[in-house]
Amino acid sequence: MSEIPTAGSMSRRRFVQSGGALLFAAQCPISLSRKVHAGGNGAMMNSFVRIDPNNVITMLANNSEFGNGAYTVMSMMLAEELDVDYRSIALEAAPTTLEYYSPLFREYLTAGSVTTGSTFIPMRTAGAKARAMLLEAASRDWQLPPDELATENGTVTHAASGRSSTYGELLEVIHRFDIQPPETVALKDPSQFKILGKPARRYEGVGKVDGTAQFGIDIKLPGMLYGAIARPPVYGGSVIDFDATEALAMPGVVKAKAIRAGVVVLADSYWRAQKARAKLKINWDRGVNDGVSSEQFYADYRALADTPGMLAEDIGDALGALDAAEAKDRVVEATYEMPLLAHATLEPMNCIAHVEGDTCTIWSGTQYQSNDQEVISRFLGIPQQNVTIHRPLMGGSFGRRSSKKADYTVEAVEAAMGESVPVQIIWSREEDIRSGHYRPLFVHKLRGSVDEAGMPEAWHQVAVGQSLMQGTKHDPAYMVRGMDIYSLDGCLQEPFGVFPYGTSYQIPNHRVESHNAPKKGIVPQEWRSVAHTHTGIAYECFLDELAEKGGIDPLELRLRLTKDHARMNRVLNVLKEKSDWGKPLAPGRGRGVASRIYNISPVAQVVEVTVAENGDFSVDRVVCVLDCGFAVNPLGVEGQVEGGLAYGLGGVAFGNIDIVNGEVQQSNFHDYPVMRLPQMPKVEVYILPSDEPPTGIGEQATTPIAPAVANALFNATGRRVRRFPLSSQGFNLV
Amino acid sequence: MRLTVNGSEVEVSSEADTPLLWVLRDELKLVGTKYGCGIAQCGACTVHLDGRAIRSCVTPVSAVADKQIQTIEGQATEAGLSPVQLAWLETDVAQCGYCQSGQIMAATALLASNPNPSDAEIDAAMAGNVCRCGTYPRIRKAVHLAASLMSEEHSA
């Protein structure tokens, strides 16, 4: 394979080669749109910026857009240093090459709420370096000292002489003097920011109100066939044989064939493919998951939780302290149980694949381009660089489109094999709900004690669930002594492994054990805020139980536990004030609090609920205080907070995938309910001012909402929920 | 079969039982109208039939032959985006954006029959439109803003 420069070492050699090689349209990335190819004669200033002679500035974005605001923050960063309007920047998906891999993940992956943090320096540097070259060009062409020149709105100007040139016009000068990118460049001081830190509307907002935004499902290619897949009734089952006589007789139907995922029907429209699918007669082998059930998972996990697990953390002497506290009646025990959850993105999974000889092209909404490329390359036995990925917008993801198995991608490739035209596979909602990729079911067993003053003294937690990382390519980084530390995020007090943060609480005796549940029945999949979706509930609800045992106000308890964690302590102090904590509520109403750290950003919420006699409840108000470092786009942060907590609220209120005899019982939004407008609380968001580097916010607000609601229900009714969702325990969100 | 979509007459050849959604998307290539559930549970496929919001995923094309169909693509006019679209932009509602065509069509139909809805009326009218990104607080705000834009337009 030819030498592919890595992100750190690329640029210089590439730009210095062959005098004037700055203009290298020939090296245009492979996944550019046709429109851009046609435009073709721009200059790559560096990996992320191309400038065209007509002064169109194009950003090559290596983070994907699925509602997260990646395109907005990245264009803002580039625009800030380049002194242009972020909305004037054209955007292309950067190709899936090493050069564009995330420096953090070393993969082409948008995940973990790290886009803003991990691009903050690289995108600004790209803009500043391009600007430096333009300034140098004007300075040499006009024979004026660079410090007399200024940039604004895509133009270099000289105030004294009135001279000005657009960036596009200066390309010829850059070429003439063979101006190279500087080795280093100074970035703007935050006090000079005109764009960053100010509320900015979504970069791709217009297309999302006039219907022109193109999602994967919207792409139409010449001659393309639509595929609908009949899948086995049990996840992991397979086709024994099938009869497609009736299906093939239906209008527009081209073919039916068995693939690993099931039987795919190809037709000239999706509706026709779907209709014909219903006519297939298939003998299924129900496979290894036949007979599994959620109830059995719970029973098995509870039994495992009673046995010693792998030791993840052991601070002080939790077991000894608990034994001593037992005699003084200062111990609380509880087991928390969290179900399987589907992601239910509104745009169902879909992918177009075109296999031609030893090349493959896909059009796929995906968070995880490099992985898709690897999986397809392995599957087809072709070199990785022969797999081209086009990257449309995604209609939500929440982790589902980061599948390490690349399930919906590789099955489209399989369906397209042997076809002369591209094939688009679209999942029905039923397939989506029954896809087998879920937030894994978890059981957390907790035992804790309080000291004489009522403060938590000992904590012993045993977590049982299916590992997200075991046996995957991430095994080396995330499996430590057999434990999946990814699944323990949010219940360890100290930083561990790749996680540079703990809970923010200080409990003197703190022991956490872990069991990896046997892999059966499902494919565990990251779900917005990942481990916090279960560790958050277990930890924050049990902390509430200890607060009750010790007779300490739950918010006061958290303030005391975080006295050595300045950032969380500040968040909690502001929350106490903004939420009117302590102000009496009418009967039937209650307040709950939870505070979490996910990927460095501390976030805490107070929730107010009103509960009726029959268990119907409303969430009336959520106050959310957060510290995400420097907030690059406060308007975007606010939207992510509202949306993040809505996602978590729906999950805790009624999210539940139930498997009986291997079959998923839910199928669509009527039996897998999701949040709707009337259920949405009033949300108040307080972003604390900070000069710290930006950290994530896409998943953070999801982390406290579930336990805060459960704690508020306890506050209102005196009833603890320890099995979720809330609807399974008689609490119905209305 | 002839349909009137966004003011233009078009000839379509899909089978009579084909849901309007798939005729719009696959035959007429009007892909702004989205598929979300196929059973009228999510509202992503909302279009207007003679000005009324309907779920195109459960409406057979044969049922709409003589009626006026409006989709998201027909909302903007030569004068620009509609007041509802402008309010959506101004409020920065969209996140992933996939549901927003349906939301905008539902809001437009609501405001046509109720020019100044209360929060409760908005909640009731829009409860059938799912947004998985949770843009609901901004949807509420944007409907109110659209109402005021339309009343200004009306009085101007």
Side-chain angles (χ1 to χ4, degrees), chain A residues 218 272 275 675-676, chain B residues 15 17 34 41 95 136:
Chain A
D218 300 331
R272 284 172 162 177
K275 228 175 128 181
M675 279 287 285
R676 290 173 184 274
Chain B
E15 288 83 33
D17 67 343
K34 304 302 187 197
Q41 287 287 312
Q95 289 187 23
Y136 297 124

Side-chain angles (χ1 to χ4, degrees), chain A residues 575 578-579 604-607 621-625 682 684 686:
Chain A
L575 182 67
K578 298 294 183 189
S579 66
Q605 292 164 359
V606 165
V607 164
R621 180 187 183 210
V622 180
V623 182
C624 181
V625 182
K682 298 253 184 301
E684 295 163 42
Y686 298 93

Side-chain angles (χ1 to χ4, degrees), chain A residues 311-335:
Chain A
L311 194 56
E313 187 173 70
D314 198 16
I315 297 163
D317 177 18
L319 299 181
L322 281 163
D323 284 346
E326 197 79 67
K328 302 175 198 157
D329 187 29
R330 290 202 193 120
V331 174
V332 181
E333 272 190 53
T335 299

Side-chain angles (χ1 to χ4, degrees), chain A residues 139-473:
Chain A
S139 163
R140 289 174 69 170
D141 192 36
W142 302 342
Q143 300 188 333
L144 289 165
D147 59 2
E148 288 185 14
L149 305 179
T151 49
E152 60 173 331
N153 204 17
T155 307
V156 181
T157 58
H158 181 246
S161 67
R163 288 194 77 151
S164 79
S165 274
T166 68
Y167 294 170
E169 288 163 354
L170 286 165
L171 294 181
E172 176 275 320
V173 184
I174 288 175
H175 181 72
R176 186 173 1 122
F177 291 106
D178 190 21
I179 292 168
Q180 297 295 323
E183 288 283 4
T184 59
V185 71
L187 301 180
K188 280 186 188 173
D189 184 83
S191 64
Q192 299 169 278
F193 286 164
K194 294 178 193 151
I195 300 172
L196 302 183
K198 315 272 189 293
R201 292 192 183 85
R202 183 164 287 272
Y203 170 86
E204 76 287 2
V206 174
K208 289 180 173 177
V209 303
D210 69 6
T212 59
Q214 195 175 49
F215 299 88
I217 202 170
D218 300 331
I219 295 173
K220 308 284 179 193
L221 297 173
M224 184 178 89
L225 289 173
Y226 298 84
I229 298 176
R231 296 174 195 274
V234 177
Y235 184 83
S238 56
V239 180
I240 297 168
D241 53 46
F242 70 100
D243 174 2
T245 316
E246 256 189 273
L248 290 168
M250 295 181 67
V253 177
V254 173
K255 192 180 276 186
K257 58 185 177 183
I259 60 174
R260 292 176 305 173
V263 178
V264 60
V265 176
L266 301 180
D268 63 358
S269 86
Y270 181 58
W271 173 251
R272 284 172 162 177
Q274 253 197 355
K275 228 175 128 181
R277 174 177 59 183
K279 302 288 184 189
L280 292 168
K281 294 182 181 69
I282 306 170
N283 281 321
W284 295 107
D285 175 347
R286 291 169 66 93
V288 294
N289 293 318
D290 194 17
V292 306
S293 74
S294 300
E295 283 308 322
Q296 194 60 50
F297 287 149
Y298 283 123
D300 293 349
Y301 292 12
R302 277 194 301 265
L304 265 178
D306 286 335
T307 65
M310 295 172 282
L311 194 56
E313 187 173 70
D314 198 16
I315 297 163
D317 177 18
L319 299 181
L322 281 163
D323 284 346
E326 197 79 67
K328 302 175 198 157
D329 187 29
R330 290 202 193 120
V331 174
V332 181
E333 272 190 53
T335 299
Y336 282 84
E337 302 179 326
M338 275 66 75
L340 301 170
L341 292 178
H343 304 74
T345 62
L346 202 58
E347 180 196 14
M349 299 305 111
N350 62 83
C351 179
I352 300 174
H354 194 193
V355 181
E356 299 166 281
D358 66 347
T359 67
C360 177
T361 309
I362 65 162
W363 290 256
S364 180
T366 168
Q367 292 179 246
Y368 205 174
Q369 287 79 4
S370 55
N371 183 71
D372 293 350
Q373 205 182 40
E374 284 165 31
V375 173
I376 293 169
S377 130
R378 264 202 312 275
F379 176 70
L380 289 175
I382 62 175
Q384 209 170 310
Q385 66 265 30
N386 290 15
V387 180
T388 302
I389 301 178
H390 294 279
R391 207 182 81 192
L393 294 169
M394 281 169 261
S397 187
F398 318 113
R400 180 61 182 89
R401 289 181 157 98
S402 67
S403 166
K404 290 177 275 291
K405 292 186 175 297
D407 60 330
Y408 62 94
T409 315
V410 76
E411 73 181 20
V413 172
E414 194 177 350
M417 282 172 74
E419 307 304 325
S420 58
V421 293
V423 169
Q424 181 177 44
I425 301 293
I426 299 175
W427 292 37
S428 66
R429 177 59 55 198
E430 289 76 12
E431 291 169 80
D432 174 63
I433 298 294
R434 294 173 170 166
S435 74
H437 287 228
Y438 303 115
R439 191 287 301 275
L441 186 149
F442 257 84
V443 169
H444 288 261
K445 187 181 175 194
L446 293 119
R447 207 166 156 239
S449 66
V450 295
D451 63 17
E452 280 173 21
M455 287 297 286
E457 184 180 47
W459 184 282
H460 180 206
Q461 179 165 4
V462 184
V464 186
Q466 209 176 307
S467 165
L468 287 159
M469 295 306 197
Q470 194 176 28
T472 73
K473 62 180 170 177

Side-chain angles (χ1 to χ4, degrees), chain B residues 70-114:
Chain B
Q70 283 274 331
T71 71
I72 188 70
E73 288 88 352
Q75 290 310 290
T77 63
E78 278 178 14
L81 297 174
S82 73
V84 176
Q85 289 173 313
L86 284 173
W88 244 248
L89 260 191
E90 172 69 21
T91 314
D92 201 40
V93 174
Q95 289 187 23
C96 89
Y98 191 77
C99 72
Q100 300 298 346
S101 296
Q103 304 279 0
I104 288 168
M105 296 308 284
T108 304
L110 163 66
L111 292 169
S113 64
N114 181 354

Side-chain angles (χ1 to χ4, degrees), chain A residues 700-720:
Chain A
Q700 279 71 5
T702 311
T703 64
I705 188 70
V709 169
N711 291 342
L713 289 172
F714 169 75
N715 184 245
T717 66
R719 268 186 60 206
R720 291 274 179 208

